[in-house]
Amino acid sequence: MSSDLRRRLFGGSRRVGLVAVVLAAFATASAEQRTTAGVAAASEREFRADRHYLNLPIRNGAPKRKIVLLVDGSEVTSGSVELADSGADWWAYIDISRWRGHSLTLRSTGPSTPSGGLNAIEASDSIRDSDSLYREKLRPQLHFSPRRGWMNDPNGLVFYHGEYHLFFQHNPYGWSWGNMHWGHAVSRDLVHWDELGDVLAPDHLGAMFSGSAVVDHGNTSGLGAAGKDPLVLVYTAWGQPAVQCLAFSDDGRTFAKYDCNPILPNITPGNRDPRVFWHARTQRWIMVLFVEEPAGQTDGRGSSPKKHLVRLFTSRNLRNWEPAGTVNGGIGDDHFLYECPDLFELPVSGDPAQTRWILTAADGEYAIGSFEGETFVPEVSRLVGNYGSGFYAAQTFNDVPDGRRIQIGWGQMPSPGMSFNQLQLLPCELRLIRTDAGLRLARTPIRELESLRDGPDQSGSLGSFHGEIVEVRADLVPRGAELFRFDVRGAKIVYDAGSHEITINGITAPAPLVLGHQRIAVYVDRTLLEVFASDGITYVPVAFIPKPENRCVDVNVDAPDAGPLVLRVYELKSIWTP
Ligand code: FRU
């Protein structure tokens, strides 16, 4: 197979759920071997690609085997898989529809005993156990999660051809991190997502680490077909060395890797996570890249910590990049500006004549400053982005039609016992507002989420409230040092008007009043709680699995002369039902 065909075959993606043409598939074990127990166990299986999927039995913690997939004898990808010899915890799948009619080989290498699990792999027109898809016990109902396998960072957030695209770090074959692919989902409203197949699989340059996506208006890269503006993905290939690469598409479905990858050579061994955007004033593309350098000192443990830097690059065509500025982050365990940087402009309190640039990175800490096209100059640094646990690697969308700055972060909230793991946090609009303490980012869940409210406000009948997925809104005007207590399906949220702090299941965060008001929004899903206070200046996402039988919401104020409290309580619909 030509390398171009190989790239396109594996780069292609197909929507699941199209009419399946039911053809007889045959799968035969070849190269069978005998284990010492005398049970036949294959080290290689051959399939004719007449079905849509290969379903793979997975047992979490089983020995990892390298599984290589060959199409017509040429290797197209490989992965490290915890194949279940018996008793699968769950089933992963490979979409083989793009190779229809070709001959496929799955080869198992690794631990010397051949895996009986290879024999259990089945070709099918459906994903195994798909009848319970999106209805699993711990499937988040408000938050995106992958159908199967592990997910971490959101990647390539962009609006293109009428759809929002969410790519994500995906391990299609494991419940834990590994085998990094780019998964892919699309949405028309940022609320309901349709997961498509993976678009980038590991290749000879390495695993597919995080990055971003741009709409190349005017086809500056020349990667689009004549007259088309391509969607260009910019990602890290995590090999030896780690380098930055491009892939592109004219339809937002099928992606090809760029022939001349990499487009940016290795700078230092840890470099990764290219975030690219168009800078209209200088008419250039800007890349912010996470780079690590030796700090040139040793710590108390005798090791040499690394300095975390954000390096900037500019380009006229996405293919050739010139170095520009550098911004210093933390050193070693100080994770300021560590991994997944993002840089964007926001108006101050909505005034487009006054703007600032925000530089943020994986843990959400941020700096506010200026950027004229070369380097970022901070005015204030190290502002706290969230007070929760599990917010990581957030990225903002490019090209949102109405100009809002919308961010999605990875929610490090596990789904134990499920066939998938982790989720993406609620899409939030970011604003820069003036506060008594100076300029601050405020984060509010996007207004589109209101479409999930299932019926009217039920705050007047909390005694009979019985909701699973819940939104609570409260607007308090404290008079003194009241304690406002909320119990939302067992999650305990207390606003202390005396200390201006909010405590969520034991996590305390500052929550100042805004013009005398404390506005709080709480969202409870099956594996987490997201709390927004002080009009979004305070944000606290927390892993939390409510007890299934507790469907109650309760609100109490402990002072008889407490200030007014306006409450709204909604039961929410699932994002998985249209
Ligand atoms: C952040 C991160 C990125 C990297 C990716 C790999 O969570 O470590 O720096 O590109 O995850 O999955």
Side-chain angles (χ1 to χ4, degrees):
M1 197 179 346
S2 77
S3 66
D4 185 51
L5 176 61
R6 175 183 146 137
R7 254 197 320 278
R8 283 173 188 276
L9 284 178
F10 207 78
S13 94
R14 287 268 171 92
R15 185 185 290 258
V16 173
L18 294 181
V19 181
V21 184
V22 183
L23 295 171
F26 68 90
T28 49
S30 71
E32 281 194 347
Q33 296 180 6
R34 301 245 149 225
T35 62
T36 43
V39 180
S43 58
E44 198 165 289
R45 289 276 308 272
E46 285 187 2
F47 299 85
R48 181 133 197 101
D50 289 341
R51 300 269 177 143
H52 209 118
Y53 304 103
L54 291 181
N55 288 314
L56 283 67
I58 307 293
R59 190 155 50 74
N60 301 327
K64 287 198 170 132
R65 291 165 199 284
K66 185 173 176 202
I67 305 282
V68 181
L69 175 64
L70 302 99
V71 176
D72 298 331
S74 300
E75 177 177 332
V76 291
T77 191
S78 64
S80 163
V81 185
E82 293 168 338
L83 209 52
D85 286 344
S86 61
D89 288 330
W90 57 280
W91 290 74
Y93 64 89
I94 305 176
D95 182 344
I96 53 169
S97 58
R98 71 200 78 168
W99 297 300
R100 194 166 281 282
H102 292 263
S103 106
L104 309 185
T105 308
L106 278 182
R107 185 172 293 157
S108 162
T109 60
S112 54
T113 318
S115 165
L118 206 59
N119 277 339
I121 294 174
E122 57 183 34
S124 172
D125 282 322
S126 54
I127 298 170
R128 178 104 173 217
D129 300 332
S130 57
D131 35 337
S132 57
L133 190 62
Y134 298 129
R135 292 185 290 108
E136 302 95 334
K137 195 167 142 237
L138 292 183
R139 170 72 69 180
Q141 297 295 303
L142 285 183
H143 297 84
F144 177 80
S145 56
R147 279 188 298 235
R148 294 286 156 87
W150 162 275
M151 171 178 71
N152 53 293
D153 313 353
N155 293 152
L157 302 183
V158 67
F159 183 82
Y160 180 64
H161 290 173
E163 291 174 320
Y164 293 93
H165 290 256
L166 160 64
F167 300 90
F168 53 91
Q169 290 285 282
H170 188 211
N171 181 359
Y173 319 121
W175 198 79
S176 308
W177 185 89
N179 299 316
M180 280 297 119
H181 289 59
W182 273 38
H184 187 202
V186 290
S187 171
R188 295 210 169 258
D189 59 4
L190 283 167
V191 175
H192 301 89
W193 294 96
D194 191 4
E195 186 178 342
L196 310 175
D198 289 354
V199 296
L200 300 178
D203 60 24
H204 63 286
L205 290 176
M208 302 289 102
F209 271 26
S210 285
S212 51
V214 294
V215 181
D216 181 7
H217 296 288
N219 198 9
T220 63
S221 64
L223 294 172
K228 297 211 171 167
D229 294 340
L231 178 60
V232 179
L233 312 182
V234 192
Y235 62 93
T236 298
W238 188 251
Q240 301 289 346
V243 290
Q244 317 313 319
C245 297
L246 301 182
F248 57 97
S249 168
D250 282 332
D251 61 2
R253 291 293 182 275
T254 306
F255 290 79
K257 288 175 180 163
Y258 175 45
D259 274 330
C260 302
N261 278 337
I263 45 105
L264 197 64
N266 181 270
I267 296 161
T268 60
N271 61 183
R272 59 187 180 273
D273 309 337
R275 171 73 174 100
V276 176
F277 61 91
W278 176 249
H279 188 244
R281 260 166 268 158
T282 53
Q283 292 286 295
R284 292 188 305 195
W285 297 103
I286 309 293
M287 180 194 292
V288 287
L289 185 72
F290 170 64
V291 171
E292 287 186 304
E293 278 175 12
Q297 59 190 56
T298 44
D299 62 16
R301 289 165 284 183
S303 54
S304 318
K306 298 249 174 60
K307 212 163 41 171
H308 315 310
L309 307 173
V310 173
R311 296 276 291 265
L312 289 93
F313 298 84
T314 65
S315 171
R316 301 223 173 256
N317 59 14
L318 291 168
R319 291 182 282 106
N320 307 105
W321 292 89
E322 298 292 329
T326 299
V327 189
N328 290 313
I331 294 178
D333 294 341
D334 170 358
H335 278 186
F336 181 50
L337 300 185
Y338 179 73
E339 300 189 319
C340 302
D342 195 357
L343 178 64
F344 49 87
E345 188 177 23
L346 283 176
V348 176
S349 297
D351 174 4
Q354 272 191 71
T355 65
R356 293 287 190 287
W357 285 78
I358 314 296
L359 178 63
T360 176
D363 68 1
E365 273 197 313
Y366 62 100
I368 302 175
S370 57
F371 173 69
E372 301 293 341
E374 285 286 322
T375 197
F376 172 81
V377 182
E379 290 165 20
V380 221
S381 248
R382 293 175 178 274
L383 296 168
V384 179
N386 85 98
Y387 293 89
S389 52
F391 172 92
Y392 206 70
Q395 187 179 107
T396 61
F397 277 87
N398 278 332
D399 284 47
V400 174
D402 62 8
R404 280 178 297 169
R405 182 57 56 177
I406 297 175
Q407 186 189 57
I408 293 183
W410 165 29
Q412 297 171 323
M413 282 80 186
S415 304
M418 299 292 107
S419 56
F420 57 92
N421 193 6
Q422 311 290 304
L423 53 85
Q424 300 299 339
L425 294 162
L426 292 178
C428 287
E429 180 174 356
L430 302 182
R431 293 193 187 86
L432 193 59
I433 57 173
R434 289 188 198 287
T435 72
D436 293 344
L439 295 177
R440 290 290 180 276
L441 268 186
R443 172 194 316 269
T444 45
I446 53 163
R447 57 175 179 265
E448 286 85 341
L449 291 163
E450 292 172 16
S451 70
L452 293 173
R453 291 176 183 164
D454 196 6
D457 162 34
Q458 299 191 47
S459 60
S461 51
L462 287 186
S464 57
F465 183 78
H466 190 78
E468 192 201 359
I469 309 300
V470 183
E471 174 188 351
V472 175
R473 298 253 167 186
D475 185 343
L476 328 171
V477 185
R479 291 214 173 97
E482 310 91 301
L483 291 181
F484 294 85
R485 296 176 195 279
F486 302 79
D487 183 318
V488 187
R489 298 201 57 208
K492 310 282 188 215
I493 301 153
V494 181
Y495 182 64
D496 181 337
S499 65
H500 300 302
E501 285 176 332
I502 191 162
T503 300
I504 297 116
N505 284 354
I507 299 177
T508 297
L513 298 181
V514 179
L515 299 175
H517 286 251
Q518 176 52 263
R519 277 177 282 260
I520 297 173
V522 179
Y523 290 79
V524 174
D525 202 344
R526 289 189 183 163
T527 58
L528 78 157
L529 178 71
E530 281 187 79
V531 178
F532 303 81
S534 304
D535 288 1
I537 299 169
T538 298
Y539 171 52
V540 192
V542 182
F544 170 67
I545 300 183
K547 291 207 173 68
E549 66 281 7
N550 182 345
R551 302 284 178 105
C552 304
V553 172
D554 195 21
V555 181
N556 282 298
V557 191
D558 72 343
D561 58 345
L565 158 66
V566 179
L567 188 69
R568 284 177 296 151
V569 177
Y570 301 96
E571 190 169 355
L572 301 181
K573 292 179 275 195
S574 166
I575 63 167
W576 305 116
T577 40

